[in-house]
Amino acid sequence: MADLFGEDAPPLPPPPAPPAPPSPAAPLADRLRPRTLAEVVGQEHLTGPDGAIGRMVAAGRLSSLVLWGPPGTGKTSIARLLADAVGLRFASISAVFSGVAELRKVFADAHEQARAGARTLLFVDEIHRFNRAQQDGFLPAVEDGTVVLVGATTENPSFSLNAAVLSRAQVLVLRRLEEDTLGALLARAEAAEGRGLPLTAEARDALVAQADGDGRFLLNQAETLFAASRGSEPLDRAGLAAFLQRRVPVYDKDRDGHYDLISALHKSMRGSDPQAALYWLARMLVAGEEPLFVLRRLVRFASEDVGLADPGALAQCLAAKDAYQFLGSPEGELAIVQACLYCATAPKSNAAYLAQKAAWASAKATGSLPPPRAIVNAPTRLMKELGHGAGYAYDHDAADAFSGADYWPEGVGPQRFYEPSGRGFESKIAERLAWWDARRAELRGGR
């Protein structure tokens, strides 16, 4: 973390006066933008007296920050108000529109201001869109105190930001706005307009749900309703759906949403909750996820989390893959649903998964030990003369088709990797293994 105000630094100047209110002609979201940190809604865990931002402001000691959260949760507003609260000059750039030339200019301006005694809070929107080299370019200005860096990102900083940047900044997580917070935003909008939204109670709830935690989106939709429906009858849920363009779910197939939702699907199936599993499956497919990506995870799940407790799970998932490839969307999606439900409701066992890890570890540890000569084929005369295949016990000729022979390399001895769970079909496998173990001990004890 880069603390840019040392113990002996002079006290911060008094915060500037709040900015003048926006013009009545400004967009609704701008007119309702908070003017102090106390007015920021939904992020009280950060901006409140006990929150990280609240404590920094109270102490007058500001660190570089990365604000991580969904769209429309107040990242830009917090950065601007944070500069006001501690008396810093505010500068802003967007990684979408800025390059190296713009960064150099911003740093040069901040350096000149610092020489005059004015420190700069540099807000970098979409900071994750800068490449690794560009992110490294922030480090000198942060380390020498030229700027306090506040980056905003919708992506997981662990994957999208350099370790060097993260080591100098505190990551603060902004929360998706809850329905009661969004409802309070609508109330502010109605107060600013001097009239209520032309919606029934049911339609109002639908508007809030449609916002999906994004306050800016909600206010933009409300502004559209105010502008186009003066004097009209209140819209019901169906009327609202027809009037407003439906919001596309927030989901980037190559980013966090992609991995977070597939993780939720996997863990819901592992937890034997078919209802939740169906929900996450629907979230992914409705948002446009590639069905074959989901099917690959189902096939993996069938071996990792069901395994031999129900060998039919793998067959079901592979059949769903074939059915989808044969039918396409949307007809083939029902086969994916069937496979998902089968996996979620199947008995669970990770015994095969654990057995694989243990066997792989043993194979790496024991290197290139040869198998016993008795179980090595002898296709040539020389190999027969060397004793390959000599003494091999053909199990089908033995009683119960079981010879009890030793198949392990010399010096290793029998190891146990696979332990059936006792659930589903594995209970039968456990009984069979126990019988074989007892029979093997009996046969070897008699030699």
Side-chain angles (χ1 to χ4, degrees):
M1 184 189 300
D3 191 354
L4 303 180
F5 298 94
E7 295 289 346
D8 300 324
L12 292 170
S23 164
L28 181 61
D30 285 344
R31 284 185 279 140
L32 294 182
R33 191 180 291 277
R35 301 182 66 202
T36 66
L37 286 170
E39 293 180 7
V40 175
V41 296
Q43 311 303 335
E44 290 79 10
H45 65 293
L46 298 177
T47 60
D50 295 326
I53 290 176
R55 289 177 179 273
M56 288 182 190
V57 171
R61 296 174 60 83
L62 187 60
S63 300
S64 289
L65 304 172
V66 173
L67 304 178
W68 173 29
T73 51
K75 295 185 289 294
T76 303
S77 293
I78 287 176
R80 187 178 297 276
L81 295 172
L82 190 55
D84 293 339
V86 296
L88 296 182
R89 170 179 171 268
F90 182 82
S92 175
I93 60 173
S94 170
V96 176
F97 302 110
S98 302
V100 174
E102 290 81 0
L103 287 175
R104 287 175 177 166
K105 183 177 184 303
V106 168
F107 292 144
D109 290 344
H111 183 69
E112 288 301 316
Q113 293 290 333
R115 293 177 62 183
R119 295 182 180 270
T120 298
L121 185 151
L122 175 60
F123 176 65
V124 184
D125 198 17
E126 304 283 350
I127 189 173
H128 62 275
R129 293 185 181 272
F130 279 124
N131 62 37
R132 301 285 177 174
Q134 290 171 324
Q135 290 179 30
D136 284 340
F138 291 110
L139 301 181
V142 170
E143 290 174 342
D144 67 13
T146 299
V147 299
V148 176
L149 176 65
V150 177
T153 179
T154 56
E155 301 297 328
N156 189 330
S158 300
F159 305 128
S160 60
L161 298 183
N162 282 3
V165 172
L166 291 177
S167 70
R168 292 161 174 81
Q170 181 176 357
V171 177
L172 302 181
V173 181
L174 279 72
R175 296 171 180 169
R176 176 183 180 275
L177 299 187
E178 300 293 340
E179 290 190 359
D180 57 345
T181 301
L182 293 172
L185 278 180
L186 281 186
R188 287 188 186 182
E190 290 171 323
E193 290 289 322
R195 57 193 173 106
L197 280 166
L199 299 173
T200 64
E202 183 185 36
R204 186 187 184 91
D205 291 341
L207 180 65
V208 169
Q210 192 181 56
D212 196 22
D214 186 334
R216 181 171 54 248
F217 176 85
L218 178 70
L219 292 177
N220 289 342
Q221 295 290 65
E223 186 169 33
T224 300
L225 284 165
F226 281 130
S229 56
R230 184 179 292 276
S232 62
E233 291 295 317
L235 297 172
D236 58 13
R237 178 187 283 267
L240 175 68
F243 182 79
L244 293 177
Q245 182 178 357
R246 180 178 176 275
R247 178 176 171 80
V248 177
V250 177
Y251 185 77
D252 291 324
K253 290 191 288 184
D254 63 341
R255 298 187 185 276
D256 285 345
H258 170 79
Y259 297 107
D260 290 349
L261 267 62
I262 198 66
S263 176
L265 171 62
H266 193 125
K267 290 179 174 63
S268 298
M269 292 190 297
R270 179 183 289 158
S272 300
D273 190 336
Q275 319 304 339
L278 273 182
Y279 170 77
W280 294 116
L281 176 67
R283 280 280 301 274
M284 297 187 78
L285 295 181
V286 167
E289 180 57 81
E290 172 57 52
L292 286 175
F293 170 78
V294 178
L295 282 162
R296 283 191 290 272
R297 178 55 68 97
L298 292 180
V299 170
R300 167 68 184 190
F301 180 91
S303 292
E304 179 181 342
D305 289 279
V306 177
L308 290 173
D310 186 347
L314 183 57
Q316 284 279 336
C317 292
L318 291 172
K321 185 263 296 182
D322 290 341
Y324 177 78
Q325 289 181 322
F326 181 61
L327 295 174
S329 292
E331 291 86 353
E333 291 172 5
L334 184 57
I336 304 177
V337 168
Q338 178 178 330
C340 174
L341 289 174
Y342 193 102
C343 288
T345 56
K348 304 301 187 296
S349 171
N350 70 341
Y353 173 67
L354 295 177
Q356 180 199 19
K357 292 178 65 176
W360 263 236
S362 179
K364 291 176 181 177
T366 54
S368 56
L369 292 176
R373 288 188 179 183
I375 63 172
V376 176
N377 285 337
T380 69
R381 178 183 298 177
L382 175 62
M383 295 177 73
K384 289 179 181 178
E385 292 174 352
L386 291 174
H388 290 201
Y392 172 60
Y394 186 58
D395 285 81
H396 292 288
D397 290 340
D400 301 310
F402 181 73
S403 68
D406 184 356
Y407 300 99
W408 291 90
E410 184 177 351
V412 173
Q415 300 184 42
R416 199 167 186 91
F417 305 130
Y418 175 54
E419 294 287 355
S421 66
R423 292 182 289 276
F425 183 70
E426 279 196 320
S427 62
K428 298 294 184 182
I429 296 176
E431 293 176 7
R432 198 175 305 145
L433 290 180
W435 186 89
W436 281 329
D437 286 342
R439 182 70 174 142
R440 188 176 288 112
E442 178 185 342
L443 291 170
R444 294 180 183 178
R447 289 178 181 165

mmCIF file with all atom_site columns, all heavy atoms in Angstrom, residues 7 19 115 149 310 356 423 431 447:
data_model
loop_
_atom_site.group_PDB
_atom_site.id
_atom_site.type_symbol
_atom_site.label_atom_id
_atom_site.label_alt_id
_atom_site.label_comp_id
_atom_site.label_asym_id
_atom_site.label_entity_id
_atom_site.label_seq_id
_atom_site.pdbx_PDB_ins_code
_atom_site.Cartn_x
_atom_site.Cartn_y
_atom_site.Cartn_z
_atom_site.occupancy
_atom_site.B_iso_or_equiv
_atom_site.pdbx_formal_charge
_atom_site.auth_seq_id
_atom_site.auth_comp_id
_atom_site.auth_asym_id
_atom_site.auth_atom_id
_atom_site.pdbx_PDB_model_num
ATOM 1  N N   . GLU A 1 7   ? 4.207   10.791  8.149   1.00 0.00 ? 7   GLU A N   1
ATOM 2  C CA  . GLU A 1 7   ? 3.902   11.228  9.513   1.00 0.00 ? 7   GLU A CA  1
ATOM 3  C C   . GLU A 1 7   ? 4.150   12.726  9.690   1.00 0.00 ? 7   GLU A C   1
ATOM 4  O O   . GLU A 1 7   ? 3.444   13.402  10.428  1.00 0.00 ? 7   GLU A O   1
ATOM 5  C CB  . GLU A 1 7   ? 4.770   10.431  10.495  1.00 0.00 ? 7   GLU A CB  1
ATOM 6  C CG  . GLU A 1 7   ? 4.463   8.934   10.521  1.00 0.00 ? 7   GLU A CG  1
ATOM 7  C CD  . GLU A 1 7   ? 3.146   8.643   11.160  1.00 0.00 ? 7   GLU A CD  1
ATOM 8  O OE1 . GLU A 1 7   ? 2.583   9.560   11.815  1.00 0.00 ? 7   GLU A OE1 1
ATOM 9  O OE2 . GLU A 1 7   ? 2.643   7.520   11.035  1.00 0.00 ? 7   GLU A OE2 1
ATOM 10 N N   . PRO A 1 19  ? -19.478 21.105  -4.857  1.00 0.00 ? 19  PRO A N   1
ATOM 11 C CA  . PRO A 1 19  ? -19.675 21.656  -6.189  1.00 0.00 ? 19  PRO A CA  1
ATOM 12 C C   . PRO A 1 19  ? -21.077 22.221  -6.353  1.00 0.00 ? 19  PRO A C   1
ATOM 13 O O   . PRO A 1 19  ? -22.017 21.825  -5.663  1.00 0.00 ? 19  PRO A O   1
ATOM 14 C CB  . PRO A 1 19  ? -19.451 20.451  -7.099  1.00 0.00 ? 19  PRO A CB  1
ATOM 15 C CG  . PRO A 1 19  ? -19.692 19.254  -6.226  1.00 0.00 ? 19  PRO A CG  1
ATOM 16 C CD  . PRO A 1 19  ? -19.244 19.647  -4.869  1.00 0.00 ? 19  PRO A CD  1
ATOM 17 N N   . ARG A 1 115 ? 4.580   20.686  -7.297  1.00 0.00 ? 115 ARG A N   1
ATOM 18 C CA  . ARG A 1 115 ? 5.613   21.691  -7.014  1.00 0.00 ? 115 ARG A CA  1
ATOM 19 C C   . ARG A 1 115 ? 4.996   22.937  -6.429  1.00 0.00 ? 115 ARG A C   1
ATOM 20 O O   . ARG A 1 115 ? 5.637   23.648  -5.651  1.00 0.00 ? 115 ARG A O   1
ATOM 21 C CB  . ARG A 1 115 ? 6.375   22.019  -8.287  1.00 0.00 ? 115 ARG A CB  1
ATOM 22 C CG  . ARG A 1 115 ? 7.216   20.860  -8.804  1.00 0.00 ? 115 ARG A CG  1
ATOM 23 C CD  . ARG A 1 115 ? 7.905   21.194  -10.112 1.00 0.00 ? 115 ARG A CD  1
ATOM 24 N NE  . ARG A 1 115 ? 8.831   22.311  -9.949  1.00 0.00 ? 115 ARG A NE  1
ATOM 25 C CZ  . ARG A 1 115 ? 9.527   22.859  -10.944 1.00 0.00 ? 115 ARG A CZ  1
ATOM 26 N NH1 . ARG A 1 115 ? 9.374   22.382  -12.178 1.00 0.00 ? 115 ARG A NH1 1
ATOM 27 N NH2 . ARG A 1 115 ? 10.347  23.863  -10.726 1.00 0.00 ? 115 ARG A NH2 1
ATOM 28 N N   . LEU A 1 149 ? -3.419  7.435   -6.569  1.00 0.00 ? 149 LEU A N   1
ATOM 29 C CA  . LEU A 1 149 ? -4.086  6.687   -7.627  1.00 0.00 ? 149 LEU A CA  1
ATOM 30 C C   . LEU A 1 149 ? -5.365  6.058   -7.097  1.00 0.00 ? 149 LEU A C   1
ATOM 31 O O   . LEU A 1 149 ? -5.353  5.362   -6.074  1.00 0.00 ? 149 LEU A O   1
ATOM 32 C CB  . LEU A 1 149 ? -3.158  5.593   -8.159  1.00 0.00 ? 149 LEU A CB  1
ATOM 33 C CG  . LEU A 1 149 ? -3.759  4.654   -9.214  1.00 0.00 ? 149 LEU A CG  1
ATOM 34 C CD1 . LEU A 1 149 ? -4.085  5.412   -10.491 1.00 0.00 ? 149 LEU A CD1 1
ATOM 35 C CD2 . LEU A 1 149 ? -2.807  3.499   -9.497  1.00 0.00 ? 149 LEU A CD2 1
ATOM 36 N N   . ASP A 1 310 ? -22.624 -43.268 -9.419  1.00 0.00 ? 310 ASP A N   1
ATOM 37 C CA  . ASP A 1 310 ? -23.648 -43.456 -10.446 1.00 0.00 ? 310 ASP A CA  1
ATOM 38 C C   . ASP A 1 310 ? -22.962 -43.359 -11.802 1.00 0.00 ? 310 ASP A C   1
ATOM 39 O O   . ASP A 1 310 ? -22.848 -42.271 -12.374 1.00 0.00 ? 310 ASP A O   1
ATOM 40 C CB  . ASP A 1 310 ? -24.753 -42.413 -10.327 1.00 0.00 ? 310 ASP A CB  1
ATOM 41 C CG  . ASP A 1 310 ? -25.907 -42.672 -11.286 1.00 0.00 ? 310 ASP A CG  1
ATOM 42 O OD1 . ASP A 1 310 ? -25.733 -43.508 -12.206 1.00 0.00 ? 310 ASP A OD1 1
ATOM 43 O OD2 . ASP A 1 310 ? -26.978 -42.058 -11.126 1.00 0.00 ? 310 ASP A OD2 1
ATOM 44 N N   . GLN A 1 356 ? -7.302  -40.421 -8.497  1.00 0.00 ? 356 GLN A N   1
ATOM 45 C CA  . GLN A 1 356 ? -6.429  -39.933 -9.563  1.00 0.00 ? 356 GLN A CA  1
ATOM 46 C C   . GLN A 1 356 ? -5.266  -39.126 -8.985  1.00 0.00 ? 356 GLN A C   1
ATOM 47 O O   . GLN A 1 356 ? -4.103  -39.331 -9.345  1.00 0.00 ? 356 GLN A O   1
ATOM 48 C CB  . GLN A 1 356 ? -7.200  -39.076 -10.553 1.00 0.00 ? 356 GLN A CB  1
ATOM 49 C CG  . GLN A 1 356 ? -6.333  -38.549 -11.675 1.00 0.00 ? 356 GLN A CG  1
ATOM 50 C CD  . GLN A 1 356 ? -6.933  -37.353 -12.397 1.00 0.00 ? 356 GLN A CD  1
ATOM 51 O OE1 . GLN A 1 356 ? -7.821  -36.692 -11.872 1.00 0.00 ? 356 GLN A OE1 1
ATOM 52 N NE2 . GLN A 1 356 ? -6.449  -37.069 -13.590 1.00 0.00 ? 356 GLN A NE2 1
ATOM 53 N N   . ARG A 1 423 ? -21.705 -44.726 -1.246  1.00 0.00 ? 423 ARG A N   1
ATOM 54 C CA  . ARG A 1 423 ? -22.970 -44.158 -1.717  1.00 0.00 ? 423 ARG A CA  1
ATOM 55 C C   . ARG A 1 423 ? -23.282 -44.679 -3.115  1.00 0.00 ? 423 ARG A C   1
ATOM 56 O O   . ARG A 1 423 ? -22.380 -44.831 -3.943  1.00 0.00 ? 423 ARG A O   1
ATOM 57 C CB  . ARG A 1 423 ? -22.900 -42.631 -1.724  1.00 0.00 ? 423 ARG A CB  1
ATOM 58 C CG  . ARG A 1 423 ? -22.811 -42.021 -0.338  1.00 0.00 ? 423 ARG A CG  1
ATOM 59 C CD  . ARG A 1 423 ? -22.795 -40.492 -0.414  1.00 0.00 ? 423 ARG A CD  1
ATOM 60 N NE  . ARG A 1 423 ? -21.540 -39.987 -0.945  1.00 0.00 ? 423 ARG A NE  1
ATOM 61 C CZ  . ARG A 1 423 ? -20.447 -39.794 -0.223  1.00 0.00 ? 423 ARG A CZ  1
ATOM 62 N NH1 . ARG A 1 423 ? -20.427 -40.111 1.064   1.00 0.00 ? 423 ARG A NH1 1
ATOM 63 N NH2 . ARG A 1 423 ? -19.349 -39.306 -0.787  1.00 0.00 ? 423 ARG A NH2 1
ATOM 64 N N   . GLU A 1 431 ? -18.219 -53.451 -1.412  1.00 0.00 ? 431 GLU A N   1
ATOM 65 C CA  . GLU A 1 431 ? -18.383 -54.843 -1.006  1.00 0.00 ? 431 GLU A CA  1
ATOM 66 C C   . GLU A 1 431 ? -17.469 -55.755 -1.819  1.00 0.00 ? 431 GLU A C   1
ATOM 67 O O   . GLU A 1 431 ? -16.833 -56.677 -1.280  1.00 0.00 ? 431 GLU A O   1
ATOM 68 C CB  . GLU A 1 431 ? -19.842 -55.272 -1.191  1.00 0.00 ? 431 GLU A CB  1
ATOM 69 C CG  . GLU A 1 431 ? -20.827 -54.582 -0.262  1.00 0.00 ? 431 GLU A CG  1
ATOM 70 C CD  . GLU A 1 431 ? -22.257 -54.977 -0.574  1.00 0.00 ? 431 GLU A CD  1
ATOM 71 O OE1 . GLU A 1 431 ? -22.458 -55.880 -1.423  1.00 0.00 ? 431 GLU A OE1 1
ATOM 72 O OE2 . GLU A 1 431 ? -23.179 -54.393 0.029   1.00 0.00 ? 431 GLU A OE2 1
ATOM 73 N N   . ARG A 1 447 ? 0.495   -69.421 0.952   1.00 0.00 ? 447 ARG A N   1
ATOM 74 C CA  . ARG A 1 447 ? 1.662   -69.750 0.137   1.00 0.00 ? 447 ARG A CA  1
ATOM 75 C C   . ARG A 1 447 ? 2.913   -69.932 0.990   1.00 0.00 ? 447 ARG A C   1
ATOM 76 O O   . ARG A 1 447 ? 3.046   -69.305 2.021   1.00 0.00 ? 447 ARG A O   1
ATOM 77 C CB  . ARG A 1 447 ? 1.902   -68.636 -0.904  1.00 0.00 ? 447 ARG A CB  1
ATOM 78 C CG  . ARG A 1 447 ? 0.844   -68.653 -1.985  1.00 0.00 ? 447 ARG A CG  1
ATOM 79 C CD  . ARG A 1 447 ? 1.095   -67.524 -2.957  1.00 0.00 ? 447 ARG A CD  1
ATOM 80 N NE  . ARG A 1 447 ? 0.072   -67.516 -4.002  1.00 0.00 ? 447 ARG A NE  1
ATOM 81 C CZ  . ARG A 1 447 ? -0.149  -66.498 -4.821  1.00 0.00 ? 447 ARG A CZ  1
ATOM 82 N NH1 . ARG A 1 447 ? 0.564   -65.407 -4.738  1.00 0.00 ? 447 ARG A NH1 1
ATOM 83 N NH2 . ARG A 1 447 ? -1.096  -66.569 -5.754  1.00 0.00 ? 447 ARG A NH2 1
#
